[in-house]
Amino acid sequence: MMTTNPLYVNYISRFENKTVQSVLVDRINVVKKILEIVSAVDKWNYKYAEEKWSIKQVIQHCIDCERIFSYRALHIARQDPNPLFGFDENAYAAQATVIHKSGEALMYEYILLMESIRLMYDGFEEVDLQKTGVIATNQISVGDIGFVIGGHSLHHMDVILDRYLKE
């Protein structure tokens, strides 16, 4: 593990003795199953507390973050010399309007994005996974970004199961 960012370390540590490719494949089935439950009980707009995001907003957040994470991985793998900066996930969420999107459309978009990221990682060779770059002030490898992507999505699926779907 190359990163020292505590949030990223938490996501990465979920996957002891796993390859990044297996993590990116396995999470797709987990996410599909959970979002199919959300769809079956029609809780896409549900919030477990007034100030919290709806499930649709959580999924849009996952989509936004994973697009950014995957760009960062590609940026580092291709050894782009330009700096990478952090982003404010809450500012992104405030600008993301999901009212007009159906839950099923968000689920479809997210599944396609996860497949796309998996395919990108399938194309990386071991030497690419070991390449490192700096995001804001944190050094991280391409491989570790893949684990962050997997850990981030599974973290939010855990939240959906524990706080949105528990009755």
Side-chain angles (χ1 to χ4, degrees):
M1 183 179 341
M2 297 295 233
T3 186
T4 56
N5 181 315
L7 181 60
Y8 291 172
V9 169
N10 186 41
Y11 291 152
I12 295 167
S13 66
R14 294 176 70 121
F15 305 114
E16 299 274 331
N17 303 315
K18 292 196 176 190
T19 66
V20 68
Q21 285 82 1
S22 70
V23 166
L24 293 175
V25 168
D26 294 347
R27 77 176 180 131
I28 295 171
N29 292 325
V30 171
V31 170
K32 277 183 188 177
K33 286 178 186 173
I34 293 168
L35 295 185
E36 285 169 356
I37 293 168
V38 170
S39 198
V41 297
D42 193 25
K43 281 199 160 184
W44 290 107
N45 293 308
Y46 175 74
K47 296 179 179 184
Y48 67 89
E50 186 59 36
E51 71 282 359
K52 297 299 182 179
W53 294 339
S54 70
I55 294 178
K56 283 180 11 178
Q57 289 170 306
V58 170
I59 300 309
Q60 185 64 61
H61 161 77
C62 289
I63 291 168
D64 289 349
C65 288
E66 291 183 28
R67 284 190 169 124
I68 291 167
F69 295 152
S70 64
Y71 168 74
R72 290 170 169 177
L74 183 63
H75 179 99
I76 294 168
R78 300 299 189 251
Q79 299 187 306
D80 187 325
N82 295 299
L84 288 166
F85 300 98
F87 72 102
D88 180 345
E89 65 185 44
N90 292 310
Y92 272 63
Q95 295 300 314
T97 306
V98 296
I99 301 269
H100 67 285
K101 291 183 176 182
S102 71
E104 288 74 17
L106 279 167
M107 181 170 64
Y108 180 70
E109 180 181 356
Y110 191 28
I111 290 166
L112 287 178
L113 176 62
M114 289 187 293
E115 290 286 358
S116 175
I117 291 169
R118 178 193 61 79
L119 290 169
M120 180 178 76
Y121 269 82
D122 284 350
F124 290 150
E125 295 187 22
E126 187 59 35
V127 68
D128 296 317
L129 296 175
Q130 299 304 317
K131 291 176 182 172
T132 62
V134 176
I135 301 169
T137 60
N138 298 294
Q139 186 170 18
I140 192 165
S141 71
V142 172
D144 280 353
I145 293 172
F147 288 117
V148 168
I149 291 169
H152 179 259
S153 61
L154 294 180
H155 160 75
H156 284 291
M157 293 306 109
D158 290 347
V159 170
I160 288 171
L161 286 173
D162 293 342
R163 296 188 185 153
Y164 291 84
L165 294 178
K166 259 190 183 164
E167 301 268 338

